[in-house]
Amino acid sequence: MNPGILRYALNTPKETAARMPEAEAFVDSNDEVLARQQRLRRKQVLLATAVYFTALIPLFHINQLGMLELTTDQKIFGVIAVMLTNAVFFLLIRSNQNLHFRDPSMTFAQVLVANAWSLTIAWVVAQPARPLAMMWYLLAFLFGFYTLKRWQFVALMAFALAGYAAVVMREYFAGSAAAFRVELLHWIILAVGLFWMSLIGGYVSMLRSRLVDQRRQLAEVAFVDPLTGVYNRRYLFDVLQREMARIRRDKVRTLSIAMLDLDAFKSVNDRYGHLMGDQLLRRVAEMLTDEMRDMDAVGRYGGEEFIIVMPDTSEAGAKVCMERVRSRVESDDSPFRGVRVPVTISIGIAEIRHNEQLIELVNRADKALLAAKAAGRNRVVLASNIEEKNLRVLPRTETVRD
């Protein structure tokens, strides 16, 4: 299968597609999926903020009991600092800066910060109230339970246990044997709890990875042509429908499609056999995929015909691109089973018109392709030129196709 062929279907910018092949994009465009993911991430940060506020309630009670070893100014500063850390995460997501990170959700960073605040609380509260900090440690782990990988759970567990070990050693050096034994027991309980949470969380992460792989395989079956590795006709038309809907909504965008056909392909099958013809189709599909942008969609229309969807591309811009594709295919001298098979392509291009329907757009590109065939093959023809010159287009027959 061609690298990156699922970039349109699997939702993701090219640099993250290999890591996050989310299947939500099966029915939506990349932009819509990205916007939905960002909204979800903002909600997660707001949820974390609500949890922080909830944690303040027992802290206020501890303060009333005189077990919080801080001045009033320090308490106010602590509350503001906690809120500011969450505000930073929220603003990073709001400004889309998080998309530059390996983990756009920043779950690991958020859980790490939550653990740091839990450690701070364990350090400043009196010994009888420290189990509260242990509870927040576990709560922070739950926040990333379905997102974190196994190594991240292990790293967070090591950080939490090392931090609480510092609290235990403080009691040891303070000379309080009873307090030291109690805190040591707390540390053991925390270690057992975090160990099992890390173990189960890692198992959940493994199941999630398997599920993602299965969904990717389903995407390949549903949307990819098994012979060439490009999109199949059904999904290509879905892409076209979505792009045309966006154009009608935005009113300032455009779209061009190119329909291309391998010249004299029937003679290749007759002379070299169908296996050679299949290899030729795969090679052409690879060249098409290599030459197009990430935002373009390449699909097999049927037989030896392909369609390329080029969003935000005028007819003139599409012609420049297709001339480059035509030239590359013509100059390609890759041997097939030791035999060099010359191949050329004919291409018809059409740019969408106001309120034009999908079938009308495809039909105009098809007429341009037929005109390219009738004019001698191995050329690019624009639908607008046919309409302006009122060229006679031969009917769709096998003879013209060859």
Side-chain angles (χ1 to χ4, degrees), residues 67 114 116 122 163 210 250 278 285 388:
M67 291 188 291
R210 289 181 180 177
D250 299 342
D278 290 347
E388 289 174 3

Side-chain angles (χ1 to χ4, degrees), residues 16-317:
T16 59
R19 297 190 306 273
M20 298 178 59
E22 301 296 335
E24 292 116 323
F26 290 180
V27 293
D28 294 310
S29 69
N30 282 358
D31 292 341
E32 292 166 340
V33 172
L34 179 61
R36 183 165 66 246
Q37 289 176 337
Q38 289 293 82
R39 285 195 299 270
L40 178 60
R41 289 162 184 157
R42 289 195 295 270
K43 290 179 180 179
Q44 289 175 336
V45 174
L46 293 176
L47 176 61
T49 304
V51 172
Y52 278 121
F53 273 114
T54 304
L56 291 177
I57 297 175
L59 271 182
F60 284 134
H61 182 63
I62 291 173
N63 182 58
Q64 293 295 325
L65 296 176
M67 291 188 291
L68 194 58
E69 302 168 0
L70 295 174
T71 65
T72 301
D73 291 342
Q74 289 173 328
K75 297 170 188 174
I76 295 175
F77 173 80
V79 172
I80 294 175
V82 169
M83 295 304 111
L84 282 177
T85 54
N86 264 27
V88 169
F89 287 120
F90 185 85
L91 291 176
L92 285 173
I93 297 173
R94 184 70 180 178
S95 62
N96 290 334
Q97 293 301 310
N98 63 309
L99 300 179
H100 299 291
F101 304 148
R102 181 174 292 275
D103 175 20
S105 69
M106 300 181 291
T107 304
F108 179 78
Q110 292 185 66
V111 176
L112 184 65
V113 169
N115 278 344
W117 285 120
S118 299
L119 174 61
T120 302
I121 292 172
W123 192 267
V124 300
V125 299
Q127 192 272 330
R130 284 189 188 136
L132 181 65
M134 295 170 55
M135 180 193 72
W136 284 332
Y137 269 127
L138 299 176
L139 188 61
F141 267 68
L142 285 175
F143 184 78
F145 201 72
Y146 294 101
T147 306
L148 298 176
K149 296 180 174 62
R150 180 170 296 174
W151 72 265
Q152 292 175 318
F153 277 111
V154 173
L156 290 169
M157 180 180 70
F159 175 79
L161 293 179
Y164 204 87
V167 176
V168 175
M169 295 309 297
R170 186 178 71 164
E171 295 296 342
Y172 175 80
F173 287 114
S176 175
F180 169 73
R181 287 194 295 269
V182 170
E183 291 305 327
L184 183 59
L185 177 62
H186 289 168
W187 186 90
I188 294 173
I189 294 173
L190 180 64
V192 172
L194 293 181
F195 171 78
W196 281 107
M197 287 196 68
S198 298
L199 196 64
I200 297 173
Y203 180 71
V204 170
S205 176
M206 181 189 66
L207 292 179
R208 182 174 178 271
S209 297
R210 289 181 180 177
L211 178 61
V212 168
D213 290 339
Q214 291 174 355
R215 296 171 85 174
R216 185 193 294 114
Q217 293 170 6
L218 287 175
E220 294 181 13
V221 172
F223 305 135
V224 176
D225 176 62
L227 175 61
T228 60
V230 297
Y231 296 132
N232 59 27
R233 176 172 176 163
R234 173 185 175 185
Y235 184 68
L236 196 69
F237 273 50
D238 288 342
V239 172
L240 262 175
Q241 290 282 18
R242 289 198 297 271
E243 290 296 337
M244 294 175 72
R246 292 171 65 185
I247 290 172
R248 285 191 287 268
R249 182 181 67 239
D250 299 342
K251 301 185 186 303
V252 295
R253 307 181 65 174
T254 189
L255 166 76
S256 292
I257 68 169
M259 180 176 286
L260 61 93
D261 181 88
L262 276 66
D263 297 326
F265 184 72
K266 185 176 183 298
S267 63
V268 173
N269 283 333
D270 293 342
R271 182 176 180 181
Y272 300 103
H274 287 83
L275 289 179
M276 182 72 77
D278 290 347
Q279 291 185 16
L280 190 61
L281 285 174
R282 282 193 289 268
R283 176 57 184 158
V284 171
E286 289 175 1
M287 289 188 283
L288 294 177
T289 304
D290 290 343
E291 290 293 332
M292 304 313 296
R293 304 168 299 178
D294 290 345
M295 64 189 299
D296 301 326
V298 180
R300 186 182 179 195
Y301 187 64
E304 67 272 23
E305 293 180 319
F306 295 85
I307 287 184
I308 302 175
V309 181
M310 295 170 279
D312 298 325
T313 305
S314 65
E315 196 177 52

